[in-house]
Amino acid sequence: MNLKYCLFTLILIFKISFSQKNSSNQLILECIAFYNLENLFDTIVDPDTNKILQEDFTPLGKKKYNTDKYKLKLNRLATVIDTLGKEISPFGPSIIGVCEIENRLVLDDLVSQKCIADKHYKIVHHESPDKRGIDCALLYDPSHFELFLSKSISLSMPNDKNFKTRDQLLVTGKLLGEKIHFIVNHWPSRRGGESKSRPKRIQAAILCKSIVDSIQIADENAKVIIMGDFNDDPISPSIKNILNAKGNPQMVKEGQLFNAMGQHFKNGIGTLAYRDQWNLFDQFILSSSLLDLEKNYDDFTFYKSVIFNKSFLKNQKGNFKGYPYRTFVGSRFLGGYSDHFPIYMLLVKKS
């Protein structure tokens, strides 16, 4: 264990009251985040992907998307990342799953932003076959996370050979010495209607479940964190029936999945809004091995989840007051952040 690793481990020790005896014990906190970055494109058209969409994100396109707007977008997103979780864990997220990014270049530009450059975030990214030219990725703090492997797993539809969407990204490594598997998702959208598009998300759930099953066959106690924009709510068939993710940790049996966002949904809190309806598409779904109902905290366990919906991320006036403050509405530039609120969760264990 190197000196830098030891120092960061010591720095991350905080006192949290826990256990039935109400005693105060020293715990290590780790912040894990997910954020849909809403069309983080550069201003250059990639000839290998959807030219029509990408031409919108150029100076001559419908959005008049130039270098100044791109730089503002990067700065906005980096500011959010720099703020995530710091009210509880002052070092912010060690792991950040992201989606709706165009390529590796925009991620390099993002992690180089002044407010987060000192985190030295490393990038895990694979190109997807998605028709829009957008991918999933994972950013990690190398002083907290040691990368073992990453794999991009494609989703196909049995009756549609031309179907193309985002790959599911599997990342495995050690978080402060503990092996954890992360699966970053951005499931097919509801374009064309929820029911008509539902089979695509059912198929995405089947694929995701097969990834989890293969991990658990190799290690039945494996710690798995599924995160992403699922384009479905916690009660949708893909999540509730296929993944069988339960919102109540007391109901989760060994080997099953726990939806860490279930209670937020029950409370009517969402991460995006459309036509006066809130949805909670952005979720963390965890293997049962990350639950510790006895609160012993001997190894990393789920502590809490948060929808980061601070006022600066919301429209302050107009018909969409309270909605996420996004970058564009159609071709009109607003200069906001994203059409989704980010989410984060905390893992905790004894020091």
Side-chain angles (χ1 to χ4, degrees), residues 4-210:
K4 185 177 180 182
Y5 183 92
C6 292
L7 287 173
F8 269 90
T9 302
L10 290 172
I11 290 170
L12 283 173
I13 294 174
F14 298 93
K15 289 188 176 181
I16 298 176
S17 177
F18 79 102
S19 87
Q20 295 178 348
K21 297 179 181 179
N22 294 319
S23 61
S24 184
N25 293 267
Q26 288 184 324
L27 301 180
I28 296 172
L29 290 177
E30 278 289 356
C31 181
I32 314 295
F34 176 79
Y35 198 8
N36 181 323
L37 302 182
E38 192 198 13
N39 293 325
L40 179 54
F41 284 87
D42 57 30
T43 61
I44 304 166
V45 175
D46 182 350
D48 295 327
T49 53
N50 188 326
K51 288 186 180 181
I52 295 175
L53 174 67
Q54 291 195 12
E55 284 171 356
D56 289 346
F57 289 91
T58 62
L60 299 178
K62 288 189 297 184
K63 297 181 185 292
K64 309 297 181 187
Y65 188 68
N66 55 27
T67 300
D68 288 341
K69 291 177 181 178
Y70 175 54
K71 286 182 176 179
L72 177 62
K73 171 82 169 178
L74 290 169
N75 179 262
R76 291 290 208 190
L77 296 174
T79 301
V80 178
I81 291 171
D82 182 48
T83 312
L84 283 173
K86 283 192 172 178
E87 65 267 34
I88 304 173
S89 176
F91 290 94
S94 297
I95 302 286
I96 310 164
V98 295
C99 72
E100 288 204 15
I101 57 99
E102 181 186 5
N103 50 37
R104 172 68 184 243
L105 172 63
V106 298
L107 294 173
D108 287 331
D109 289 343
L110 176 62
V111 300
S112 300
Q113 295 297 297
K114 186 176 180 180
C115 61
I116 59 172
D118 62 349
K119 292 284 285 187
H120 303 292
Y121 281 118
K122 299 295 184 183
I123 298 166
V124 181
H125 169 253
H126 298 264
E127 287 288 345
S128 288
D130 181 72
K131 289 182 178 180
R132 288 174 59 196
I134 55 175
D135 308 321
C136 298
L138 184 134
L139 313 178
Y140 68 91
D141 181 341
S143 64
H144 291 231
F145 184 72
E146 179 186 0
L147 177 66
F148 286 178
L149 64 89
S150 68
K151 186 178 182 181
S152 193
I153 304 162
S154 295
L155 172 66
S156 59
M157 290 296 292
N159 300 319
D160 186 356
K161 293 182 179 180
N162 295 318
F163 176 75
K164 295 179 180 179
T165 190
R166 285 75 64 176
D167 288 350
Q168 297 185 18
L169 177 64
L170 171 63
V171 180
T172 299
K174 280 191 173 181
L175 183 66
L176 292 185
E178 279 193 39
K179 188 175 182 180
I180 300 183
H181 308 268
F182 297 94
I183 308 172
V184 187
N185 296 262
H186 185 193
W187 289 2
S189 75
R190 294 188 171 194
R191 187 182 299 275
E194 189 278 327
S195 60
K196 185 177 179 180
S197 61
R198 186 185 302 165
K200 298 174 183 177
R201 292 184 298 283
I202 292 291
Q203 200 64 31
I206 291 170
L207 175 62
C208 190
K209 185 66 167 61
S210 71

Side-chain angles (χ1 to χ4, degrees), residues 143-313:
S143 64
H144 291 231
F145 184 72
E146 179 186 0
L147 177 66
F148 286 178
L149 64 89
S150 68
K151 186 178 182 181
S152 193
I153 304 162
S154 295
L155 172 66
S156 59
M157 290 296 292
N159 300 319
D160 186 356
K161 293 182 179 180
N162 295 318
F163 176 75
K164 295 179 180 179
T165 190
R166 285 75 64 176
D167 288 350
Q168 297 185 18
L169 177 64
L170 171 63
V171 180
T172 299
K174 280 191 173 181
L175 183 66
L176 292 185
E178 279 193 39
K179 188 175 182 180
I180 300 183
H181 308 268
F182 297 94
I183 308 172
V184 187
N185 296 262
H186 185 193
W187 289 2
S189 75
R190 294 188 171 194
R191 187 182 299 275
E194 189 278 327
S195 60
K196 185 177 179 180
S197 61
R198 186 185 302 165
K200 298 174 183 177
R201 292 184 298 283
I202 292 291
Q203 200 64 31
I206 291 170
L207 175 62
C208 190
K209 185 66 167 61
S210 71
I211 298 170
V212 175
D213 289 345
S214 65
I215 292 170
Q216 291 180 329
I217 288 172
D219 177 6
E220 62 182 12
N221 296 313
K223 296 189 173 188
V224 184
I225 298 176
I226 306 166
M227 65 174 85
D229 172 2
F230 297 93
N231 276 303
D232 267 341
D233 290 311
I235 60 169
S236 299
S238 61
I239 306 289
K240 185 178 179 181
N241 300 333
I242 305 300
L243 291 184
N244 192 27
K246 302 179 186 304
N248 183 351
Q250 303 284 347
M251 302 295 292
V252 179
K253 297 178 182 178
E254 188 173 342
Q256 291 185 332
L257 297 173
F258 165 63
N259 194 327
M261 310 305 290
Q263 191 58 49
H264 296 294
F265 184 76
K266 216 172 196 179
N267 294 338
I269 307 172
T271 54
L272 73 158
Y274 180 67
R275 294 183 178 176
D276 296 326
Q277 179 179 333
W278 282 91
N279 291 101
L280 210 173
F281 290 170
D282 306 270
Q283 301 167 52
F284 293 114
I285 299 172
L286 319 176
S287 59
S288 61
S289 50
L290 281 157
L291 296 177
D292 182 2
L293 301 182
E294 302 298 322
K295 299 190 184 330
N296 292 316
Y297 301 133
D298 291 326
D299 50 12
F300 273 130
T301 186
F302 172 74
Y303 183 65
K304 69 180 296 185
S305 62
V306 176
I307 296 174
F308 193 73
N309 54 5
K310 300 294 185 182
S311 60
F312 75 92
L313 290 173

